[in-house]
């Protein structure tokens, strides 16, 4: 199920303007550009009002995290143990400490398995969403028999698993030093190792990945089984815990692989092959608790039972590099470092089919109410009886019970998945195709209704060690509202029923979405994404910013070096690659109404062929009519299709080769949609129409056929400018943030079923929200200013840097949602900016309190002004290194966030500058 | 050798004749340039009508201290010269020659592994910036992996060279798309298999036969950091061995270079026998007249070595080199052997 991701924080566009400082603060509105060196000038950064933005572009849907494939893929096959692939070198060397699996053998058959994992996603506002996961449980495995070297085994396993999902700000981490006991600060920072690693490792190292390991370990102790524990949860956070178990019968066919192939794999790259097939039954009972705001708890129950089989062929190995690079021989102690585990799995497939019964239920509790608290404590233990009774009393009797029922949903699903992963240690490519067909029964406050549902999820993910992950995901979602009819009302046989179209309910609808999430895109990828979005939605993206592919200066330099270079150096002359512009996210939707679908299925076969030819990049004239299609040359297309099938093992596909098969299938399914009398037949036809690796092409073909003015389509962007590209380019890129392009009529309002789904989506939150009105920074004003005369006459302390000039950088903030009568907590981090080094240098990182200035800002209510010196003897973040860097005229990057309580922080604001002899200047 | 020299002189004569025949408009451009050092061409860019001589040379003296076995200390004198003669941008001739003289502290000459020899002499048709297809032929090192080390020569000659290529008569084609890909395919002329290869020393002399090396190297660039490159290589020798290599080169923001390489060599004559090497290198850019080099190697999971080198430019073209390192493994009876190398190197 695609979780619709909504609201969170914001980052609006920001722009830097240089401003005359003649009239200082009173003249803030007048802005004009300035020269490179800024004398008597300042930098003013305005921020648009904070809007909610979708953090989900940069996080994965929680259901992906909850999917526990390890249990269903046959623990006893051994394949999963090998395939605990390491995502990155950072993961391997550092983060892996908190991503560990432990196995304790109890006897020959029983093993105690435990594991913990931390995932971190950056949100556009500069905060991080932390997902801590811990599980423990027994596992039983025993070989039943072996025939011709083919082993058949029995596996039984069970586990208790806890998720803790919360938001972490850098400011929060620094502020914790002020109130946590000393031992906890040391523990959180790994006895001081963490700040050192942060200082010496590349900028991609994120200390929040490792910060506060105790919170991860203590997960099982924080399950909110009591009201008191609930109130200890941060607002917006989620705790999720589950008991699960399963039985599987794995059969390993590795021995059928010819010896010569096995030998070649081992001798060339030490690779092993596995061919495990497994039949499984798996069940899970999960409780989710969300602290929605200060006093509201949402408690959800999810029961999931699955029965199915899977086949997971695998070729690869986990190789340790740098093994023995470190060793200690001290007396009797002989320790040799086991090295960095690197996963090399050129072939890693998974085919899975299963029948699933899923039950979801959500209740809301007002925790100020005693009755609600009582029923909450029962519900989080799995007993919703009291909650149900209190809801009834509230609705029927009007009693203030504080309990609200949202809905229940029962799904009977047919699931199938093909996952193709190639992992070559430094780069990985995943192609995932999940689909399901379900009969859904939903009970909400208005009563019971039924929906037939078909979903397809096609995801192409690629990852490399340096720039992380990029993911393009297509989902199609069809809902057919139906009535469930029992032909014989007197019978007790609940399986004797049929579905009819429900003419009174919301009409049938088909939505197809495309989500792009790239943590570090370059210009070439950016262009490619825009092209894909335009292709998918048929929206003209005419106002999007455009950039040069490569940096002209670097290209000229490369050419100079290479023209007469020694040929032996060729291998080191890496081409000038496209400029990096930062994180890129886009979410687009195309919606077909019932009327449009009826129109599509009534079109002639010729026009469908033409539309598909255009969508698949074929010459439509060759497929114009049946005579042309029947030509021998065109029919040879089937040969292309069959020849290309083996290439799919290596994730190679060709739209041209698959065009003929895809179009033939589409025509067949559209015909069936037209002719089908029952909703189940129609569901089946749609299911097979989108059961393809070509969802974007199929969508495009449907758009070619449809009346575009009647098809709502929209796309929304979310970007995070970062990287080495120059500031002008990044500012231009930032203008894309939150931009929405829309064509066709407005998207239809949510159906009853979609409302229920949105509630689940909100509940299985992709990212926690903030509970109260967050403070925000609406303007940062940086200038250089003389320190007061009285202070200039004071002697400096011995530790302070000698004063070479008496002008220092001063920052003025304009903030909203802060309190007039209490101090504001300000988080300031100063780093080296400009030409990035491989290792970044944190010059200062601190949280301090300041009081607002008396004056109100620009007459705007709720806008308060704060002021502090960033550099010089009056700076609260002053340090030896920082002052040295300032004196040396280094380029500096300042990150600022504010908070009223140290827990909820504003979005981070950044600006870059240099201070040369007391004058502000652009960074180098 | 003689025919190559003749060819070289013929090229020069042809070029001079051509210069005299130039029309007046082109006469304003200098027709012959001599570049040295990095041979960068800020002003000549893309002119077909110029002839360029790129010259590089270095000479140095180093002292190698084996701190664990002082008896193995030695002096090394070395020099290397390279000339690249570019006749326009379509044809060029490249020649390189190295000389090593190593002497123990007792004054005895020390044998230097002949595989260290990096000499080559070949013709290249095509230029990387002007032509997608290029052909290189002559006495040439076939392209395989990274196959280079920037460490001080005193350390390089102490390594074994099972995994490096020697120059041989042969050639290779290159295809480069000027955006992200480089593909090379080449072969060397049949020659008698290397009798002195310690891996096959047990074979009787009459068992050796003529064999060729066939090589394929492909590089693909991705836009990570300042640009990164994956390199895949395969070398096939029908008599002796096969070599497979994978490497990753990263050009850092400060033009620092980081790369690692894994090579496995399987032996045709010895069943299920293979050797492998893993290399990790970091070479910093020259900043403030100095640079750092780090190199780690693990060979066949038996021997490991790590070296750190610091180079400081004293005057223009004069470099003071200092390196420290340690080797540990079967070749040193599992004892750690520490090295200190220092020396001076002069550049053209």
């Amino acid at each position: 199920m695609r979780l619709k991701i909504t609201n969170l924080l914001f980052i609006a566009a920001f722009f830097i303007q240089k401003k005359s400082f003649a009239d200082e603060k009173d003249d803030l509105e007048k802005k004009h550009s300035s020269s490179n060196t800024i004398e008597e000038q300042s930098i003013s950064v305005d921020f648009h009002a904070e809007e909610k933005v979708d953090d989900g572009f940069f996080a994965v849907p929680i259901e992906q995290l909850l999917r526990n494939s390890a249990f269903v893929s046959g623990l006893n096959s051994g394949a999963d143990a090998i395939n605990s692939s390491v995502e990155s070198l950072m993961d391997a060397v550092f983060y892996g400490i908190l991503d560990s699996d432990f196995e304790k053998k109890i006897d020959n058959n029983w093993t105690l398995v435990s594991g913990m994992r931390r995932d971190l996603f950056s949100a556009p506002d500069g905060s991080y969403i932390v997902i801590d996961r811990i599980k423990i449980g027994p596992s039983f495995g025993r070989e039943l028999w072996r025939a011709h070297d083919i082993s058949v085994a029995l596996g039984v396993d069970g586990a208790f698993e806890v998720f803790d999902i919360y938001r972490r700000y850098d400011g929060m981490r620094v502020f914790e030093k002020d109130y946590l006991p000393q031992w906890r600060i040391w523990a959180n920072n790994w006895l001081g190792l963490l700040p050192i690693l942060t200082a010496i490792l590349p900028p991609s190292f994120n200390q929040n990945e490792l910060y506060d390991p105790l919170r991860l370990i203590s997960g099982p102790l924080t399950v909110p089984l009591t009201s008191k524990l609930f109130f200890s949860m941060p607002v917006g956070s989620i705790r999720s815990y589950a008991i699960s178990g399963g039985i599987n019968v794995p059969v390993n066919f590795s021995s059928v692989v010819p010896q010569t192939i096995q030998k070649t794999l081992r001798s060339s790259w030490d690779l092993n092959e596995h061919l495990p097939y497994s039949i499984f039954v798996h069940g899970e009972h999960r409780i989710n608790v969300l602290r929605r705001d200060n006093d509201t708890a949402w408690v959800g129950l999810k029961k999931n039972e699955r029965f199915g089989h899977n086949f997971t062929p695998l070729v690869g190995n986990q190789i340790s590099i740098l093994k023995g690079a470190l060793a200690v021989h001290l007396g009797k102690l002989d320790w040799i470092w086991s090295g960095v585990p690197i996963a090399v799995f050129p072939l890693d497939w998974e085919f899975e089919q299963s029948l699933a019964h899923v039950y979801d239920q959500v209740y809301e509790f007002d925790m100020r109410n005693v009755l609600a608290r009582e029923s909450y404590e029962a519900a989080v233990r799995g007993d919703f009886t009291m909650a149900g009774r209190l809801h009834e009393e509230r609705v029927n009797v009007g009693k203030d019970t504080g309990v609200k029922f949202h809905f229940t949903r029962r799904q009977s699903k047919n699931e199938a998945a093909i996952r193709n992963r190639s992992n070559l240690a430094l780069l990985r490519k995943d192609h995932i195709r999940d689909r399901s067909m379900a009969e859904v029964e939903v009970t909400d406050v208005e009563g019971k209704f039924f929906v037939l549902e078909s979903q397809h999820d096609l995801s192409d993910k690629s990852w490399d060690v340096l720039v992380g992950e990029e993911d393009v995901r297509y989902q199609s979602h069809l809902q057919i509202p139906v009535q469930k009819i029992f032909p014989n009302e007197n019978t007790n046989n609940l399986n004797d029923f049929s579905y009819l179209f429900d003419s009174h309910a919301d009409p049938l609808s088909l939505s197809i979405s495309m989500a792009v999430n790239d943590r570090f895109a370059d210009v070439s990828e950016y262009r490619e994404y825009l092209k894909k979005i335009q292709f998918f939605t048929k929206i003209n993206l005419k106002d999007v910013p455009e950039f040069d592919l490569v940096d002209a200066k670097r290209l000229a330099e490369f050419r100079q070096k290479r023209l007469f270079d020694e040929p032996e150096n060729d291998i080191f002359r890496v081409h000038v690659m496209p400029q990096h512009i930062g994180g890129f996210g886009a979410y687009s939707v195309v919606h077909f109404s019932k009327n449009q679908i009826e129109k599509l299925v009534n079109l002639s076969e010729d026009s469908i062929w033409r539309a598909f030819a255009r969508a698949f990049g074929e010459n439509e004239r060759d497929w114009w009519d049946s005579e042309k299609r029947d030509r021998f040359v065109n029919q040879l297309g089937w040969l292309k299709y069959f020849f290309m099938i083996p290439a799919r093992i290596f994730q190679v596909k060709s739209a041209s080769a698959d065009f003929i098969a895809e179009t033939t299938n589409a025509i067949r399914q559209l015909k069936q949609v037209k002719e089908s009398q029952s909703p189940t037949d129609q569901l089946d036809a749609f299911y097979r129409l989108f059961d393809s690796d070509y969802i974007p092409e199929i969508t495009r073909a449907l758009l070619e056929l449809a009346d575009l003015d009647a098809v709502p389509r929209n796309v929304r962007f979310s970007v995070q400018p970062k990287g080495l590209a120059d500031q002008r380019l990044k500012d231009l890129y930032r203008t894309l943030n939150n931009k929405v392009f829309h064509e066709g009529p407005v998207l239809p309002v949510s159906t009853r079923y979609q409302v229920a789904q949105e509630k689940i989506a909100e509940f299985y939150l992709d990212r926690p929200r903030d509970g109260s009105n967050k403070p925000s920074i609406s303007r940062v004003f940086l200038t250089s200013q003389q320190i007061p005369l009285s202070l200039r006459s004071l002697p400096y302390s011995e530790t302070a840097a000698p004063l070479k000039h008496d002008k220092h950088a001063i920052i003025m903030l304009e903030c909203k949602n802060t309190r007039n009568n209490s101090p504001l907590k300000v988080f300031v981090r100063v780093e080296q900016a400009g030409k990035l080094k491989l290792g970044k240098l944190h010059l200062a990182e601190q949280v301090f309190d300041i009081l607002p200035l008396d004056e109100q800002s620009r007459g705007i209510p709720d806008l308060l002004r704060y002021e502090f010196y960033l550099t010089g003897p009056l700076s609260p973040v002053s340090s030896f290194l920082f002052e040295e860097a300032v004196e040396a005229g280094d380029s500096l990057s300042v990150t600022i966030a504010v908070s009223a309580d140290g827990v909820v922080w504003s979005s981070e604001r950044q600006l870059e500058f240099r201070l040369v002899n007391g004058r502000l200047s652009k960074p180098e | 050798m003689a025919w190559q020299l003749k060819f070289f002189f013929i090229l020069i004569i042809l070029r001079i004749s051509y210069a005299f025949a130039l029309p007046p408009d082109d006469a304003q451009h200098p027709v012959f340039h001599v570049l040295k050092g990095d041979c960068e061409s800020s002003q000549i860019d893309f002119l077909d009508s110029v002839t360029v001589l790129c010259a590089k040379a270095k000479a140095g003296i180093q002292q190698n201290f084996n701190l664990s076995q002082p008896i193995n200390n030695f002096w090394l004198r070395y020099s290397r010269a390279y000339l690249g003669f570019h006749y326009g941008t379509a044809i060029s001739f490249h020649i390189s020659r190295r000389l090593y003289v190593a002497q123990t502290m007792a004054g005895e000459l020390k044998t230097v592994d002949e595989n260290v020899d990096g000499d080559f002499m070949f013709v290249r048709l095509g230029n990387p910036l002007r032509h997608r297809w290029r052909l290189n032929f002559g006495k040439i090192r076939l392209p395989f992996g990274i196959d280079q080390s920037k460490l001080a020569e005193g350390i390089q000659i102490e390594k074994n060279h099972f995994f490096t290529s020697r120059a041989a008569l042969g050639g290779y084609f290159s295809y480069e798309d000027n955006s992200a890909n480089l593909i090379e395919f080449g072969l060397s002329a049949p020659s008698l298999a290397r009798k002195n290869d310690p891996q096959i020393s047990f074979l009787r002399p009459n068992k050796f036969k003529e064999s060729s090396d066939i090589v394929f190297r492909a590089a693909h660039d991705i836009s990570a950091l300042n640009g990164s490159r994956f390199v895949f290589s395969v070398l096939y020798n029908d008599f002796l061995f096969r070599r497979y290599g994978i490497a990753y080169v990263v050009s850092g923001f400060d033009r620092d270079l980081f790369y690692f390489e894994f090579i496995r060599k399987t032996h045709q004559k010895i069943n299920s026998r293979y050797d492998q090497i893993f290399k990790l290198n970091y070479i910093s850019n020259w900043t403030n007249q100095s640079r750092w080099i780090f190199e780690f190697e693990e060979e066949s999971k038996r021997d490991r070595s790590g070296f750190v080198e610091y180079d400081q430019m004293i005057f223009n073209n004069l470099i003071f080199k200092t390196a420290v390192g340690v080797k540990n493994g079967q070749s040193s009876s599992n004892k750690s052997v520490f090295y200190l190398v220092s020396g001076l190197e002069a550049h053209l």
Side-chain angles (χ1 to χ4, degrees), chain A residues 131-143:
Chain A
I131 300 174
D132 284 344
R133 171 183 177 182
I134 192 159
K135 69 170 184 178
I136 187 163
S139 167
F140 172 86
R142 185 176 179 179
E143 188 175 279

Side-chain angles (χ1 to χ4, degrees), chain A residues 266-417:
Chain A
R266 274 174 197 60
S267 66
S268 55
W269 296 105
D270 263 349
L271 303 179
N272 298 315
E273 70 296 319
H274 295 266
L275 293 174
Y277 169 80
S278 181
I279 298 169
F280 64 84
V281 180
H282 181 255
E284 185 185 72
H285 190 102
R286 178 175 292 279
I287 303 278
N288 303 286
V289 181
L290 159 68
R291 186 170 181 189
R292 206 155 187 277
D293 58 40
N294 278 341
D295 302 305
T296 308
W298 277 28
V299 180
L301 167 70
K302 187 180 184 101
K303 283 195 276 189
N304 192 351
E305 291 160 13
R306 298 174 76 221
F307 167 68
H309 63 135
N310 64 18
F311 179 53
T312 51
L314 176 78
V315 174
N317 202 354
Q318 193 151 303
I319 298 162
S320 286
I321 59 165
L322 298 178
K323 187 178 176 184
L326 299 173
V328 176
H329 302 286
L330 198 67
K332 286 182 180 176
L333 175 71
D334 271 336
W335 173 83
I336 296 174
W337 184 35
S338 58
V340 179
I342 295 287
V344 180
F345 290 90
L347 189 71
D348 180 0
W349 271 61
E350 184 179 345
F351 305 90
E352 188 176 295
Q353 265 190 316
S354 60
L355 289 172
H357 294 282
V358 186
Y359 176 83
D360 288 287
Q361 178 175 272
V362 176
Y363 274 89
E364 182 179 323
F365 300 88
D366 180 351
M367 299 298 278
R368 291 168 298 192
N369 188 304
V370 183
L371 284 171
R373 280 206 297 272
E374 210 177 307
S375 59
Y376 163 85
E377 289 184 1
V380 291
R381 287 173 168 81
D383 179 4
F384 286 81
T385 326
M386 187 178 176
R389 185 167 50 78
L390 290 177
H391 166 73
E392 292 295 326
E393 283 177 20
R394 189 180 63 82
V395 174
N396 298 334
V397 187
K399 187 177 171 185
D400 180 19
T401 59
V403 179
K404 189 174 169 188
F405 164 75
H406 282 286
F407 68 90
T408 60
R409 179 177 69 168
R410 285 175 205 278
Q411 288 173 290
S412 295
K413 278 178 158 182
N414 250 320
E415 295 178 332

